[in-house]
Amino acid sequence: MRTRPLKVALLGCGVVGSEVARIMTTHADDLANRIGAPVELAGVAVRRPSRVREGIDPALVTTDATALVKRGDIDVVVEVIGGIEPARTLITTAFEHGASVVSANKALVAQDGEALHAAALDNGEDLYYEAAVAGAIPLVRPLRESLAGDKVNRVLGIVNGTTNFILDAMDTTGAGYQEALDEATALGYAEADPTADVEGFDAAAKAAILAGIAFHTRVRLDDVYREGMTEVTAADFASAKQMGCTIKLLAICERAADGQSVTARVHPAMIPLSHPLASVRGAYNAVFVEAEAAGQLMFYGPGAGGSPTASAVLGDLVAVCRNRLGGATGPGESAYTQLPVSPMGDVVTRYHISLDVADKPGVLAQVATVFAEHGVSIDTVRQSGKDGEASLVVVTHRASDAALNGTVEALRQLDTVRGVASIMRVEGE
């Protein structure tokens, strides 16, 4: 074993960063044996140096992150501060000064992955980010390495624990959205401002990363279609149960049937109870991968939190340190296919539409005519009515999103349709 330690700079010492530092200290001997050299925490950049950080030598703490990554003797920079800046500048500066980077920054990788990979390649350094997607679940490396010889056609997953906790509570207890959100906040699963989670921004960043890796093409955050889950109601869950389904917020990345384009989207969807993702409870994550040779694979586990995310960071740290000792770098960006990202209108799936209509003869015929005129075939219809008002639930066969949107707009123009109560895609069949 080499005796000179590999030096690690830690940017950020919050929930994840402090756990990374703790594991590096308490498992130092194991890490050294697995890597082939000891690893040493050489500096910790923070915003509030006066805060007590148990187990970390105060002499290592600094507020000057730029000076830390420029030192020249740093082998690996671990970035867990999040956000776009100053993280982006610090990472590129680290590359320029001879350090590889391990990051948990999904937003930055989704937005600027191409430039970051280019900077790593130009400087002969590694960029690893397993922790950016699904916490402790090994997902990035299997897609990037284990399935490198296969052709992935679809990635379908629950990649946000907060939203899954909320939807699971609504499903199992009958709670409304706000009640379930309040419970998630009280238990620490939801932030004080849950917008990034419940509006799908967090999941969209992860979808962009997964699509890029799975399909060997560049997919940016702006390419991902996104819908939040704040409009999901108890009535939607009641309808889902009647269909033998539940509702999940899904990240869906697909290769087109002709192989000439890809799509990436995040939105609530009904999935059959028979699908493996339907049984994912609480704040857990799970991702379902469909590949030509490997078939169907599912990755499941805790998708957030200090310890799970730190586990993924440490896994990358070990890999990067091994590469450094061997004088090599791991796999970088693979975007050789250069496939375009198709708009949401091209996506083909099934739909569940709930309409509030007048309870009188001929309404169903009018509605059916609108569907037919827009080329959307109806699978089932369920109607209930009382005192002149009725609810009409239509489930379609597969149709394009553009055709469905045209249908809904036309339905809203009918005098007999008083409102479109909800539209939900049906996936995983």
Side-chain angles (χ1 to χ4, degrees), residues 6-32:
L6 293 159
K7 294 189 176 183
V8 177
L10 179 61
L11 307 182
C13 199
V15 174
V16 176
S18 58
E19 189 66 9
V20 169
R22 184 193 69 80
I23 295 173
M24 285 184 64
T25 301
T26 57
H27 297 284
D29 291 341
D30 284 339
L31 290 172

Side-chain angles (χ1 to χ4, degrees), residues 266-346:
V266 168
H267 52 72
M270 294 182 180
I271 58 172
L273 294 175
S274 58
H275 194 282
L277 291 178
S279 62
V280 178
R281 301 296 185 190
Y284 274 70
N285 285 189
V287 177
F288 204 70
V289 177
E290 299 174 11
E292 284 197 358
Q296 297 177 332
L297 309 170
M298 183 163 148
F299 301 83
Y300 170 85
S307 293
T309 306
S311 172
V313 169
L314 267 294
D316 278 351
L317 179 63
V318 169
V320 169
C321 286
R322 286 172 176 169
N323 291 344
R324 204 163 185 86
L325 288 180
T329 55
E333 182 187 34
S334 175
Y336 71 92
T337 63
Q338 299 183 16
L339 295 173
V341 181
S342 296
M344 186 63 187
D346 291 350

Side-chain angles (χ1 to χ4, degrees), residues 199-339:
E199 294 295 351
F201 290 102
D202 175 85
K206 295 169 182 176
I209 295 170
L210 292 174
I213 297 171
F215 307 134
H216 303 278
T217 195
R218 292 190 179 120
V219 179
R220 291 171 53 88
L221 181 57
D222 292 345
D223 294 324
V224 181
Y225 174 84
R226 176 192 56 80
E227 282 182 23
M229 46 152 284
T230 57
E231 301 301 318
V232 177
T233 66
D236 292 326
F237 273 101
S239 287
K241 287 181 179 179
Q242 289 184 323
M243 291 176 58
C245 292
T246 188
I247 299 172
K248 300 291 186 182
L249 184 76
L250 298 179
I252 305 172
C253 311
E254 293 177 304
R255 189 191 301 268
D258 63 5
Q260 299 305 304
S261 64
V262 299
T263 57
R265 51 196 166 105
V266 168
H267 52 72
M270 294 182 180
I271 58 172
L273 294 175
S274 58
H275 194 282
L277 291 178
S279 62
V280 178
R281 301 296 185 190
Y284 274 70
N285 285 189
V287 177
F288 204 70
V289 177
E290 299 174 11
E292 284 197 358
Q296 297 177 332
L297 309 170
M298 183 163 148
F299 301 83
Y300 170 85
S307 293
T309 306
S311 172
V313 169
L314 267 294
D316 278 351
L317 179 63
V318 169
V320 169
C321 286
R322 286 172 176 169
N323 291 344
R324 204 163 185 86
L325 288 180
T329 55
E333 182 187 34
S334 175
Y336 71 92
T337 63
Q338 299 183 16
L339 295 173

Side-chain angles (χ1 to χ4, degrees), residues 1 8 32-33 37 42 52 60 66 71 75 134 142-143 146 192 206 256 259 274 279 281 287 317 327 354 403 426 429:
M1 179 186 294
V8 177
N33 285 322
V52 176
L60 297 178
T66 301
R71 273 177 37 175
D75 292 287
L143 283 173
S146 302
K206 295 169 182 176
S274 58
S279 62
R281 301 296 185 190
V287 177
L317 179 63
S354 180
V426 183
E429 294 180 306

